[in-house]
Amino acid sequence: MVERSVVVTGGGGGLGGAVVGAFVEAGWRVVVPRRGDPAASEPAADGLVRLTADLTDPADVARVVAAAVADPAAPLQAVVNLVGGYASGGLVHETPVEEFERMLTVNLRPTYLVTQAALPHLVAAGGGAVVCVSARAAVTPFPGAVGYVTAKAAVLAFANAVAVEYRSRNVRCNTVLPSVIDTPANRAAQPDADHSRWVTPAEIAPVIRFLASTDSAPTTGATVPVYGRA
C-alpha cells in the first residue's frame, strides 16, 4: 500500500518514464500531469495517477497539486520538476527576444508554479523534498543556445533560493544537472555523436528518487552532476 505521494512533471518525456517507474517501484503514489493527452485523464493502477494539465497555467497547476494531496493516507512528500525543453539558434545578437522568453516559459515557469503551489502542503505535512532538473549548460555554457542556458541557470538559482527559504521548515530542495541524456530524440538530433558517453534515464532516475526520499534528509541546496562520461 502506498503511503506517500510525489508529483512528477514531465513524466511523459524521455527522462520522465524512468523517473516515474523508479517511484512506482519504490511504492510511491505518483501524480503525473501531461499536456494535451486526453488518455492521461484516467487514474492508472499501481499508485499512478495521470492528469491532463498545462503547467504554465496557475489554475491547472492548482488542480494538479489538489490531486496530489487528495489522499490523506498518502500525503504529498515530494515534487520532481522534470518538465522543460531545448532550442538552439544563433548567438545572442541573432536570437529574437521571443525565442529567449519562450525558453524561460518552457523551463522555468512550470518549475516555479508547481513548486510554489506544493510548498504550503509540504510545510503543513512536516516537510518534504523538491528536486529540480537543470543542465550542465547552466554551469558550463555553450554557444548558440542562450535562452536554454539562461533558463536552466535560472532553474538552478530558483532551487537554491527554495533551499535557503524553506530549510528551517524541513523542506529540502536539490538540483540535478544532466549532460546529454540518451533519449531517442537526442539520438535523432545527434546521430553521429558517441552515445555511449551520454547519461541514460535509468542512471539518473535513482539519483532523483534518492534526493526525494528521506535517505537524503541531511541534504539541501545540493547541485548534483549526472554527466555520465560526456
Side-chain angles (χ1 to χ4, degrees):
M1 178 178 293
V2 296
E3 298 179 351
R4 52 192 173 174
S5 295
V6 57
V7 175
V8 179
T9 74
L15 173 59
V19 172
V20 169
F23 279 100
V24 169
E25 182 182 5
W28 290 67
R29 174 177 174 266
V30 186
V31 178
V32 185
R34 295 183 63 179
R35 185 171 185 171
D37 184 1
S41 61
E42 297 296 326
D46 301 321
L48 186 61
V49 179
R50 298 189 185 276
L51 300 171
T52 300
D54 176 0
L55 297 183
T56 66
D57 181 347
D60 271 18
V61 169
R63 183 167 53 83
V64 169
V65 173
V69 301
D71 185 352
L76 181 64
Q77 293 190 356
V79 172
V80 177
N81 292 302
L82 303 182
V83 70
Y86 172 79
S88 60
L91 301 178
V92 172
H93 76 280
E94 300 166 325
T95 302
V97 67
E98 293 81 7
E99 177 59 27
F100 180 82
E101 291 177 339
R102 188 178 76 84
M103 283 290 94
L104 291 173
T105 298
V106 169
N107 289 284
L108 181 60
R109 184 179 174 93
T111 293
Y112 179 83
L113 288 176
V114 174
T115 304
Q116 180 191 47
L119 279 168
H121 299 283
L122 295 175
V123 171
V130 177
V131 183
C132 296
V133 175
S134 178
R136 181 167 64 178
V139 294
T140 309
F142 55 86
V146 61
Y148 175 78
V149 168
T150 302
K152 287 303 189 182
V155 168
L156 178 56
F158 170 71
N160 289 338
V162 172
V164 169
E165 289 190 2
Y166 289 88
R167 63 188 174 193
S168 64
R169 302 184 183 190
N170 203 31
V171 176
R172 302 174 295 107
C173 189
N174 297 290
T175 311
V176 296
L177 276 65
S179 57
V180 183
I181 303 175
D182 190 1
T183 65
N186 284 338
R187 285 194 175 218
Q190 301 182 54
D192 298 326
D194 182 357
H195 303 143
S196 69
R197 299 180 64 87
W198 292 357
V199 63
T200 68
E203 292 171 319
I204 300 173
V207 178
I208 291 175
R209 186 179 61 188
F210 168 75
L211 291 173
S213 74
T214 54
D215 290 339
S216 60
T219 305
T220 191
T223 301
V224 183
V226 282
Y227 297 164
R229 297 190 298 115

mmCIF file of all heavy atoms in Angstrom, residues 137-192:
data_model
loop_
_atom_site.group_PDB
_atom_site.id
_atom_site.type_symbol
_atom_site.label_atom_id
_atom_site.label_comp_id
_atom_site.label_asym_id
_atom_site.label_seq_id
_atom_site.Cartn_x
_atom_site.Cartn_y
_atom_site.Cartn_z
ATOM 1 N N ALA A 137 24.734 22.760 -18.874
ATOM 2 C CA ALA A 137 24.887 24.044 -19.564
ATOM 3 C C ALA A 137 24.694 25.238 -18.635
ATOM 4 O O ALA A 137 25.180 26.325 -18.921
ATOM 5 C CB ALA A 137 23.889 24.129 -20.715
ATOM 6 N N ALA A 138 24.005 25.036 -17.511
ATOM 7 C CA ALA A 138 23.804 26.131 -16.559
ATOM 8 C C ALA A 138 25.114 26.582 -15.923
ATOM 9 O O ALA A 138 25.257 27.749 -15.546
ATOM 10 C CB ALA A 138 22.825 25.706 -15.466
ATOM 11 N N VAL A 139 26.065 25.654 -15.810
ATOM 12 C CA VAL A 139 27.356 25.982 -15.191
ATOM 13 C C VAL A 139 28.494 25.940 -16.203
ATOM 14 O O VAL A 139 29.580 26.474 -15.932
ATOM 15 C CB VAL A 139 27.660 25.043 -14.002
ATOM 16 C CG1 VAL A 139 26.660 25.270 -12.875
ATOM 17 C CG2 VAL A 139 27.636 23.572 -14.421
ATOM 18 N N THR A 140 28.251 25.307 -17.352
ATOM 19 C CA THR A 140 29.243 25.264 -18.426
ATOM 20 C C THR A 140 28.527 25.589 -19.730
ATOM 21 O O THR A 140 28.169 24.691 -20.506
ATOM 22 C CB THR A 140 29.918 23.881 -18.521
ATOM 23 O OG1 THR A 140 30.390 23.479 -17.233
ATOM 24 C CG2 THR A 140 31.084 23.909 -19.493
ATOM 25 N N PRO A 141 28.293 26.865 -20.007
ATOM 26 C CA PRO A 141 27.520 27.229 -21.196
ATOM 27 C C PRO A 141 28.234 26.873 -22.485
ATOM 28 O O PRO A 141 29.458 26.716 -22.529
ATOM 29 C CB PRO A 141 27.368 28.753 -21.054
ATOM 30 C CG PRO A 141 27.661 29.061 -19.627
ATOM 31 C CD PRO A 141 28.651 28.031 -19.185
ATOM 32 N N PHE A 142 27.449 26.749 -23.535
ATOM 33 C CA PHE A 142 27.985 26.561 -24.878
ATOM 34 C C PHE A 142 27.280 27.544 -25.803
ATOM 35 O O PHE A 142 26.178 28.015 -25.508
ATOM 36 C CB PHE A 142 27.796 25.114 -25.349
ATOM 37 C CG PHE A 142 26.376 24.624 -25.298
ATOM 38 C CD1 PHE A 142 25.500 24.845 -26.357
ATOM 39 C CD2 PHE A 142 25.914 23.933 -24.185
ATOM 40 C CE1 PHE A 142 24.194 24.390 -26.316
ATOM 41 C CE2 PHE A 142 24.601 23.471 -24.139
ATOM 42 C CZ PHE A 142 23.749 23.702 -25.210
ATOM 43 N N PRO A 143 27.897 27.907 -26.921
ATOM 44 C CA PRO A 143 27.304 28.926 -27.790
ATOM 45 C C PRO A 143 26.100 28.413 -28.571
ATOM 46 O O PRO A 143 25.987 27.224 -28.850
ATOM 47 C CB PRO A 143 28.456 29.294 -28.738
ATOM 48 C CG PRO A 143 29.330 28.084 -28.751
ATOM 49 C CD PRO A 143 29.228 27.473 -27.393
ATOM 50 N N GLY A 144 25.209 29.336 -28.903
ATOM 51 C CA GLY A 144 24.099 29.012 -29.776
ATOM 52 C C GLY A 144 22.832 28.572 -29.086
ATOM 53 O O GLY A 144 21.920 28.078 -29.748
ATOM 54 N N ALA A 145 22.737 28.747 -27.775
ATOM 55 C CA ALA A 145 21.534 28.325 -27.044
ATOM 56 C C ALA A 145 21.328 29.233 -25.834
ATOM 57 O O ALA A 145 21.101 28.765 -24.725
ATOM 58 C CB ALA A 145 21.639 26.870 -26.618
ATOM 59 N N VAL A 146 21.386 30.541 -26.044
ATOM 60 C CA VAL A 146 21.375 31.471 -24.920
ATOM 61 C C VAL A 146 20.100 31.363 -24.095
ATOM 62 O O VAL A 146 20.130 31.467 -22.864
ATOM 63 C CB VAL A 146 21.587 32.919 -25.412
ATOM 64 C CG1 VAL A 146 20.482 33.369 -26.364
ATOM 65 C CG2 VAL A 146 21.700 33.882 -24.229
ATOM 66 N N GLY A 147 18.948 31.166 -24.750
ATOM 67 C CA GLY A 147 17.707 31.044 -23.998
ATOM 68 C C GLY A 147 17.700 29.821 -23.107
ATOM 69 O O GLY A 147 17.321 29.888 -21.931
ATOM 70 N N TYR A 148 18.123 28.685 -23.646
ATOM 71 C CA TYR A 148 18.184 27.443 -22.885
ATOM 72 C C TYR A 148 19.175 27.555 -21.731
ATOM 73 O O TYR A 148 18.860 27.190 -20.587
ATOM 74 C CB TYR A 148 18.580 26.303 -23.817
ATOM 75 C CG TYR A 148 18.802 24.978 -23.133
ATOM 76 C CD1 TYR A 148 17.729 24.189 -22.751
ATOM 77 C CD2 TYR A 148 20.095 24.512 -22.888
ATOM 78 C CE1 TYR A 148 17.931 22.965 -22.126
ATOM 79 C CE2 TYR A 148 20.307 23.288 -22.270
ATOM 80 C CZ TYR A 148 19.218 22.520 -21.889
ATOM 81 O OH TYR A 148 19.428 21.314 -21.267
ATOM 82 N N VAL A 149 20.367 28.052 -22.025
ATOM 83 C CA VAL A 149 21.397 28.189 -20.995
ATOM 84 C C VAL A 149 20.898 29.085 -19.862
ATOM 85 O O VAL A 149 21.043 28.758 -18.667
ATOM 86 C CB VAL A 149 22.692 28.746 -21.601
ATOM 87 C CG1 VAL A 149 23.674 29.162 -20.515
ATOM 88 C CG2 VAL A 149 23.333 27.711 -22.526
ATOM 89 N N THR A 150 20.306 30.215 -20.205
ATOM 90 C CA THR A 150 19.820 31.152 -19.190
ATOM 91 C C THR A 150 18.688 30.543 -18.377
ATOM 92 O O THR A 150 18.637 30.684 -17.148
ATOM 93 C CB THR A 150 19.346 32.451 -19.851
ATOM 94 O OG1 THR A 150 20.425 33.016 -20.604
ATOM 95 C CG2 THR A 150 18.870 33.454 -18.827
ATOM 96 N N ALA A 151 17.775 29.855 -19.057
ATOM 97 C CA ALA A 151 16.642 29.265 -18.349
ATOM 98 C C ALA A 151 17.092 28.183 -17.376
ATOM 99 O O ALA A 151 16.598 28.111 -16.240
ATOM 100 C CB ALA A 151 15.652 28.684 -19.360
ATOM 101 N N LYS A 152 18.033 27.344 -17.793
ATOM 102 C CA LYS A 152 18.499 26.285 -16.894
ATOM 103 C C LYS A 152 19.309 26.866 -15.733
ATOM 104 O O LYS A 152 19.273 26.325 -14.617
ATOM 105 C CB LYS A 152 19.324 25.265 -17.678
ATOM 106 C CG LYS A 152 18.485 24.373 -18.586
ATOM 107 C CD LYS A 152 17.416 23.617 -17.806
ATOM 108 C CE LYS A 152 16.718 22.569 -18.654
ATOM 109 N NZ LYS A 152 15.643 21.857 -17.901
ATOM 110 N N ALA A 153 20.019 27.950 -15.970
ATOM 111 C CA ALA A 153 20.707 28.625 -14.867
ATOM 112 C C ALA A 153 19.693 29.225 -13.894
ATOM 113 O O ALA A 153 19.897 29.215 -12.673
ATOM 114 C CB ALA A 153 21.634 29.707 -15.412
ATOM 115 N N ALA A 154 18.586 29.728 -14.441
ATOM 116 C CA ALA A 154 17.541 30.280 -13.586
ATOM 117 C C ALA A 154 16.884 29.190 -12.744
ATOM 118 O O ALA A 154 16.540 29.414 -11.576
ATOM 119 C CB ALA A 154 16.500 30.999 -14.435
ATOM 120 N N VAL A 155 16.690 28.005 -13.317
ATOM 121 C CA VAL A 155 16.145 26.883 -12.544
ATOM 122 C C VAL A 155 17.061 26.557 -11.367
ATOM 123 O O VAL A 155 16.604 26.346 -10.238
ATOM 124 C CB VAL A 155 15.965 25.644 -13.442
ATOM 125 C CG1 VAL A 155 15.687 24.391 -12.609
ATOM 126 C CG2 VAL A 155 14.836 25.869 -14.430
ATOM 127 N N LEU A 156 18.356 26.539 -11.621
ATOM 128 C CA LEU A 156 19.324 26.262 -10.553
ATOM 129 C C LEU A 156 19.268 27.342 -9.473
ATOM 130 O O LEU A 156 19.256 27.029 -8.271
ATOM 131 C CB LEU A 156 20.723 26.163 -11.151
ATOM 132 C CG LEU A 156 21.880 25.933 -10.178
ATOM 133 C CD1 LEU A 156 21.663 24.685 -9.339
ATOM 134 C CD2 LEU A 156 23.194 25.843 -10.941
ATOM 135 N N ALA A 157 19.212 28.597 -9.874
ATOM 136 C CA ALA A 157 19.138 29.687 -8.901
ATOM 137 C C ALA A 157 17.850 29.618 -8.094
ATOM 138 O O ALA A 157 17.836 29.846 -6.873
ATOM 139 C CB ALA A 157 19.246 31.030 -9.622
ATOM 140 N N PHE A 158 16.746 29.311 -8.773
ATOM 141 C CA PHE A 158 15.470 29.186 -8.078
ATOM 142 C C PHE A 158 15.523 28.067 -7.039
ATOM 143 O O PHE A 158 15.075 28.237 -5.892
ATOM 144 C CB PHE A 158 14.353 28.912 -9.090
ATOM 145 C CG PHE A 158 13.052 28.525 -8.464
ATOM 146 C CD1 PHE A 158 12.294 29.456 -7.763
ATOM 147 C CD2 PHE A 158 12.573 27.221 -8.569
ATOM 148 C CE1 PHE A 158 11.087 29.096 -7.177
ATOM 149 C CE2 PHE A 158 11.373 26.855 -7.989
ATOM 150 C CZ PHE A 158 10.625 27.800 -7.293
ATOM 151 N N ALA A 159 16.059 26.922 -7.407
ATOM 152 C CA ALA A 159 16.151 25.801 -6.476
ATOM 153 C C ALA A 159 16.989 26.165 -5.257
ATOM 154 O O ALA A 159 16.646 25.803 -4.121
ATOM 155 C CB ALA A 159 16.742 24.579 -7.184
ATOM 156 N N ASN A 160 18.076 26.872 -5.476
ATOM 157 C CA ASN A 160 18.909 27.283 -4.352
ATOM 158 C C ASN A 160 18.173 28.260 -3.439
ATOM 159 O O ASN A 160 18.343 28.235 -2.212
ATOM 160 C CB ASN A 160 20.203 27.906 -4.865
ATOM 161 C CG ASN A 160 21.143 26.878 -5.472
ATOM 162 O OD1 ASN A 160 21.049 25.688 -5.183
ATOM 163 N ND2 ASN A 160 22.057 27.318 -6.323
ATOM 164 N N ALA A 161 17.348 29.130 -4.030
ATOM 165 C CA ALA A 161 16.555 30.056 -3.218
ATOM 166 C C ALA A 161 15.535 29.301 -2.375
ATOM 167 O O ALA A 161 15.336 29.613 -1.187
ATOM 168 C CB ALA A 161 15.855 31.067 -4.123
ATOM 169 N N VAL A 162 14.886 28.301 -2.965
ATOM 170 C CA VAL A 162 13.931 27.493 -2.205
ATOM 171 C C VAL A 162 14.636 26.777 -1.058
ATOM 172 O O VAL A 162 14.119 26.722 0.069
ATOM 173 C CB VAL A 162 13.231 26.476 -3.132
ATOM 174 C CG1 VAL A 162 12.386 25.488 -2.325
ATOM 175 C CG2 VAL A 162 12.352 27.201 -4.150
ATOM 176 N N ALA A 163 15.814 26.239 -1.315
ATOM 177 C CA ALA A 163 16.562 25.537 -0.274
ATOM 178 C C ALA A 163 16.835 26.446 0.917
ATOM 179 O O ALA A 163 16.686 26.040 2.079
ATOM 180 C CB ALA A 163 17.868 24.989 -0.845
ATOM 181 N N VAL A 164 17.207 27.684 0.645
ATOM 182 C CA VAL A 164 17.520 28.627 1.718
ATOM 183 C C VAL A 164 16.251 29.043 2.463
ATOM 184 O O VAL A 164 16.214 29.099 3.700
ATOM 185 C CB VAL A 164 18.237 29.861 1.144
ATOM 186 C CG1 VAL A 164 18.334 30.964 2.188
ATOM 187 C CG2 VAL A 164 19.632 29.479 0.658
ATOM 188 N N GLU A 165 15.197 29.321 1.719
ATOM 189 C CA GLU A 165 13.981 29.848 2.334
ATOM 190 C C GLU A 165 13.223 28.815 3.166
ATOM 191 O O GLU A 165 12.565 29.179 4.141
ATOM 192 C CB GLU A 165 13.046 30.404 1.258
ATOM 193 C CG GLU A 165 13.540 31.685 0.615
ATOM 194 C CD GLU A 165 12.510 32.344 -0.276
ATOM 195 O OE1 GLU A 165 11.379 31.819 -0.372
ATOM 196 O OE2 GLU A 165 12.837 33.370 -0.878
ATOM 197 N N TYR A 166 13.339 27.537 2.810
ATOM 198 C CA TYR A 166 12.485 26.540 3.456
ATOM 199 C C TYR A 166 13.226 25.500 4.280
ATOM 200 O O TYR A 166 12.588 24.593 4.830
ATOM 201 C CB TYR A 166 11.620 25.845 2.386
ATOM 202 C CG TYR A 166 10.553 26.764 1.846
ATOM 203 C CD1 TYR A 166 10.830 27.596 0.764
ATOM 204 C CD2 TYR A 166 9.307 26.853 2.444
ATOM 205 C CE1 TYR A 166 9.877 28.477 0.282
ATOM 206 C CE2 TYR A 166 8.348 27.730 1.972
ATOM 207 C CZ TYR A 166 8.643 28.542 0.892
ATOM 208 O OH TYR A 166 7.695 29.420 0.431
ATOM 209 N N ARG A 167 14.522 25.630 4.421
ATOM 210 C CA ARG A 167 15.239 24.615 5.193
ATOM 211 C C ARG A 167 14.814 24.610 6.648
ATOM 212 O O ARG A 167 14.776 23.542 7.289
ATOM 213 C CB ARG A 167 16.750 24.798 5.058
ATOM 214 C CG ARG A 167 17.300 26.103 5.591
ATOM 215 C CD ARG A 167 18.773 26.241 5.226
ATOM 216 N NE ARG A 167 19.313 27.545 5.593
ATOM 217 C CZ ARG A 167 20.485 28.003 5.173
ATOM 218 N NH1 ARG A 167 21.241 27.243 4.377
ATOM 219 N NH2 ARG A 167 20.920 29.187 5.541
ATOM 220 N N SER A 168 14.463 25.768 7.212
ATOM 221 C CA SER A 168 14.019 25.804 8.604
ATOM 222 C C SER A 168 12.628 25.206 8.773
ATOM 223 O O SER A 168 12.187 24.957 9.900
ATOM 224 C CB SER A 168 14.016 27.253 9.117
ATOM 225 O OG SER A 168 13.075 28.031 8.407
ATOM 226 N N ARG A 169 11.942 24.956 7.650
ATOM 227 C CA ARG A 169 10.607 24.346 7.685
ATOM 228 C C ARG A 169 10.645 22.891 7.239
ATOM 229 O O ARG A 169 9.627 22.301 6.919
ATOM 230 C CB ARG A 169 9.645 25.153 6.810
ATOM 231 C CG ARG A 169 9.546 26.605 7.251
ATOM 232 C CD ARG A 169 8.524 27.369 6.449
ATOM 233 N NE ARG A 169 8.508 28.774 6.849
ATOM 234 C CZ ARG A 169 7.589 29.657 6.459
ATOM 235 N NH1 ARG A 169 6.612 29.275 5.653
ATOM 236 N NH2 ARG A 169 7.635 30.905 6.856
ATOM 237 N N ASN A 170 11.846 22.349 7.202
ATOM 238 C CA ASN A 170 12.054 20.925 6.917
ATOM 239 C C ASN A 170 11.692 20.548 5.478
ATOM 240 O O ASN A 170 11.338 19.411 5.202
ATOM 241 C CB ASN A 170 11.275 20.044 7.900
ATOM 242 C CG ASN A 170 11.873 18.649 8.022
ATOM 243 O OD1 ASN A 170 13.079 18.469 7.890
ATOM 244 N ND2 ASN A 170 11.024 17.664 8.264
ATOM 245 N N VAL A 171 11.791 21.523 4.577
ATOM 246 C CA VAL A 171 11.612 21.237 3.154
ATOM 247 C C VAL A 171 12.958 21.418 2.472
ATOM 248 O O VAL A 171 13.569 22.489 2.555
ATOM 249 C CB VAL A 171 10.563 22.147 2.506
ATOM 250 C CG1 VAL A 171 10.489 21.886 1.001
ATOM 251 C CG2 VAL A 171 9.195 21.925 3.139
ATOM 252 N N ARG A 172 13.414 20.381 1.800
ATOM 253 C CA ARG A 172 14.703 20.400 1.119
ATOM 254 C C ARG A 172 14.500 20.631 -0.366
ATOM 255 O O ARG A 172 13.472 20.262 -0.923
ATOM 256 C CB ARG A 172 15.432 19.074 1.341
ATOM 257 C CG ARG A 172 15.647 18.753 2.814
ATOM 258 C CD ARG A 172 16.239 17.386 3.039
ATOM 259 N NE ARG A 172 15.342 16.306 2.628
ATOM 260 C CZ ARG A 172 15.495 15.554 1.570
ATOM 261 N NH1 ARG A 172 16.534 15.738 0.754
ATOM 262 N NH2 ARG A 172 14.648 14.592 1.273
ATOM 263 N N CYS A 173 15.491 21.225 -1.012
ATOM 264 C CA CYS A 173 15.438 21.412 -2.463
ATOM 265 C C CYS A 173 16.832 21.196 -3.037
ATOM 266 O O CYS A 173 17.793 21.869 -2.625
ATOM 267 C CB CYS A 173 14.929 22.803 -2.817
ATOM 268 S SG CYS A 173 14.598 23.029 -4.589
ATOM 269 N N ASN A 174 16.932 20.260 -3.951
ATOM 270 C CA ASN A 174 18.203 19.932 -4.591
ATOM 271 C C ASN A 174 18.026 19.879 -6.102
ATOM 272 O O ASN A 174 16.909 19.752 -6.607
ATOM 273 C CB ASN A 174 18.716 18.579 -4.076
ATOM 274 C CG ASN A 174 19.000 18.606 -2.576
ATOM 275 O OD1 ASN A 174 19.949 19.248 -2.135
ATOM 276 N ND2 ASN A 174 18.175 17.928 -1.799
ATOM 277 N N THR A 175 19.135 19.985 -6.811
ATOM 278 C CA THR A 175 19.096 20.072 -8.268
ATOM 279 C C THR A 175 20.045 19.054 -8.883
ATOM 280 O O THR A 175 21.175 18.893 -8.408
ATOM 281 C CB THR A 175 19.511 21.478 -8.744
ATOM 282 O OG1 THR A 175 18.784 22.452 -8.005
ATOM 283 C CG2 THR A 175 19.225 21.659 -10.224
ATOM 284 N N VAL A 176 19.582 18.388 -9.933
ATOM 285 C CA VAL A 176 20.479 17.528 -10.707
ATOM 286 C C VAL A 176 20.792 18.214 -12.030
ATOM 287 O O VAL A 176 19.951 18.909 -12.602
ATOM 288 C CB VAL A 176 19.895 16.124 -10.940
ATOM 289 C CG1 VAL A 176 19.713 15.390 -9.634
ATOM 290 C CG2 VAL A 176 18.582 16.186 -11.703
ATOM 291 N N LEU A 177 22.016 18.024 -12.492
ATOM 292 C CA LEU A 177 22.494 18.634 -13.729
ATOM 293 C C LEU A 177 22.932 17.529 -14.690
ATOM 294 O O LEU A 177 24.062 17.056 -14.621
ATOM 295 C CB LEU A 177 23.674 19.576 -13.464
ATOM 296 C CG LEU A 177 23.366 21.012 -13.038
ATOM 297 C CD1 LEU A 177 22.688 21.039 -11.681
ATOM 298 C CD2 LEU A 177 24.647 21.833 -13.001
ATOM 299 N N PRO A 178 22.051 17.098 -15.585
ATOM 300 C CA PRO A 178 22.475 16.115 -16.578
ATOM 301 C C PRO A 178 23.345 16.763 -17.663
ATOM 302 O O PRO A 178 23.283 17.971 -17.905
ATOM 303 C CB PRO A 178 21.160 15.622 -17.189
ATOM 304 C CG PRO A 178 20.079 16.135 -16.288
ATOM 305 C CD PRO A 178 20.629 17.379 -15.652
ATOM 306 N N SER A 179 24.122 15.926 -18.302
ATOM 307 C CA SER A 179 24.773 16.323 -19.561
ATOM 308 C C SER A 179 23.765 16.016 -20.662
ATOM 309 O O SER A 179 22.587 16.321 -20.531
ATOM 310 C CB SER A 179 26.080 15.562 -19.743
ATOM 311 O OG SER A 179 25.829 14.164 -19.717
ATOM 312 N N VAL A 180 24.182 15.413 -21.741
ATOM 313 C CA VAL A 180 23.240 14.986 -22.769
ATOM 314 C C VAL A 180 22.617 13.660 -22.319
ATOM 315 O O VAL A 180 23.328 12.702 -22.005
ATOM 316 C CB VAL A 180 23.927 14.797 -24.132
ATOM 317 C CG1 VAL A 180 22.894 14.416 -25.194
ATOM 318 C CG2 VAL A 180 24.654 16.060 -24.533
ATOM 319 N N ILE A 181 21.278 13.626 -22.274
ATOM 320 C CA ILE A 181 20.582 12.412 -21.854
ATOM 321 C C ILE A 181 20.359 11.518 -23.071
ATOM 322 O O ILE A 181 19.957 11.986 -24.136
ATOM 323 C CB ILE A 181 19.245 12.756 -21.180
ATOM 324 C CG1 ILE A 181 19.481 13.697 -19.988
ATOM 325 C CG2 ILE A 181 18.547 11.487 -20.703
ATOM 326 C CD1 ILE A 181 18.197 14.181 -19.332
ATOM 327 N N ASP A 182 20.609 10.249 -22.897
ATOM 328 C CA ASP A 182 20.494 9.293 -24.002
ATOM 329 C C ASP A 182 19.028 8.939 -24.223
ATOM 330 O O ASP A 182 18.511 7.955 -23.686
ATOM 331 C CB ASP A 182 21.312 8.043 -23.701
ATOM 332 C CG ASP A 182 21.427 7.117 -24.910
ATOM 333 O OD1 ASP A 182 20.878 7.460 -25.977
ATOM 334 O OD2 ASP A 182 22.066 6.057 -24.784
ATOM 335 N N THR A 183 18.354 9.754 -25.033
ATOM 336 C CA THR A 183 16.957 9.528 -25.389
ATOM 337 C C THR A 183 16.848 9.383 -26.902
ATOM 338 O O THR A 183 17.743 9.816 -27.637
ATOM 339 C CB THR A 183 16.076 10.707 -24.937
ATOM 340 O OG1 THR A 183 16.459 11.885 -25.665
ATOM 341 C CG2 THR A 183 16.221 10.950 -23.439
ATOM 342 N N PRO A 184 15.756 8.806 -27.385
ATOM 343 C CA PRO A 184 15.578 8.702 -28.844
ATOM 344 C C PRO A 184 15.626 10.056 -29.545
ATOM 345 O O PRO A 184 16.204 10.180 -30.637
ATOM 346 C CB PRO A 184 14.202 8.044 -28.988
ATOM 347 C CG PRO A 184 14.057 7.233 -27.730
ATOM 348 C CD PRO A 184 14.719 8.048 -26.651
ATOM 349 N N ALA A 185 15.047 11.067 -28.926
ATOM 350 C CA ALA A 185 15.045 12.397 -29.547
ATOM 351 C C ALA A 185 16.456 12.952 -29.668
ATOM 352 O O ALA A 185 16.829 13.525 -30.705
ATOM 353 C CB ALA A 185 14.171 13.349 -28.742
ATOM 354 N N ASN A 186 17.268 12.780 -28.622
ATOM 355 C CA ASN A 186 18.638 13.290 -28.683
ATOM 356 C C ASN A 186 19.497 12.487 -29.653
ATOM 357 O O ASN A 186 20.375 13.037 -30.316
ATOM 358 C CB ASN A 186 19.254 13.288 -27.283
ATOM 359 C CG ASN A 186 18.733 14.415 -26.425
ATOM 360 O OD1 ASN A 186 18.241 15.428 -26.924
ATOM 361 N ND2 ASN A 186 18.828 14.256 -25.103
ATOM 362 N N ARG A 187 19.243 11.201 -29.750
ATOM 363 C CA ARG A 187 19.984 10.394 -30.731
ATOM 364 C C ARG A 187 19.644 10.830 -32.149
ATOM 365 O O ARG A 187 20.518 10.890 -33.019
ATOM 366 C CB ARG A 187 19.674 8.918 -30.541
ATOM 367 C CG ARG A 187 20.363 8.308 -29.331
ATOM 368 C CD ARG A 187 20.318 6.800 -29.364
ATOM 369 N NE ARG A 187 21.083 6.216 -28.263
ATOM 370 C CZ ARG A 187 21.821 5.126 -28.346
ATOM 371 N NH1 ARG A 187 21.900 4.477 -29.500
ATOM 372 N NH2 ARG A 187 22.479 4.666 -27.302
ATOM 373 N N ALA A 188 18.356 11.127 -32.374
ATOM 374 C CA ALA A 188 17.952 11.570 -33.705
ATOM 375 C C ALA A 188 18.562 12.922 -34.047
ATOM 376 O O ALA A 188 18.927 13.173 -35.203
ATOM 377 C CB ALA A 188 16.431 11.649 -33.778
ATOM 378 N N ALA A 189 18.695 13.786 -33.034
ATOM 379 C CA ALA A 189 19.260 15.116 -33.265
ATOM 380 C C ALA A 189 20.771 15.076 -33.442
ATOM 381 O O ALA A 189 21.348 15.937 -34.118
ATOM 382 C CB ALA A 189 18.901 16.046 -32.107
ATOM 383 N N GLN A 190 21.438 14.075 -32.836
ATOM 384 C CA GLN A 190 22.895 13.974 -32.913
ATOM 385 C C GLN A 190 23.283 12.541 -33.296
ATOM 386 O O GLN A 190 23.875 11.813 -32.498
ATOM 387 C CB GLN A 190 23.517 14.349 -31.572
ATOM 388 C CG GLN A 190 23.177 15.750 -31.094
ATOM 389 C CD GLN A 190 23.849 16.109 -29.789
ATOM 390 O OE1 GLN A 190 25.076 16.009 -29.646
ATOM 391 N NE2 GLN A 190 23.057 16.529 -28.817
ATOM 392 N N PRO A 191 22.981 12.132 -34.516
ATOM 393 C CA PRO A 191 23.209 10.734 -34.895
ATOM 394 C C PRO A 191 24.671 10.330 -34.931
ATOM 395 O O PRO A 191 24.988 9.139 -34.810
ATOM 396 C CB PRO A 191 22.586 10.644 -36.295
ATOM 397 C CG PRO A 191 22.602 12.054 -36.813
ATOM 398 C CD PRO A 191 22.385 12.922 -35.614
ATOM 399 N N ASP A 192 25.574 11.285 -35.087
ATOM 400 C CA ASP A 192 26.997 10.957 -35.209
ATOM 401 C C ASP A 192 27.750 11.061 -33.881
ATOM 402 O O ASP A 192 28.960 10.833 -33.839
ATOM 403 C CB ASP A 192 27.650 11.884 -36.229
ATOM 404 C CG ASP A 192 27.062 11.718 -37.619
ATOM 405 O OD1 ASP A 192 26.684 10.577 -37.960
ATOM 406 O OD2 ASP A 192 26.955 12.724 -38.346
#
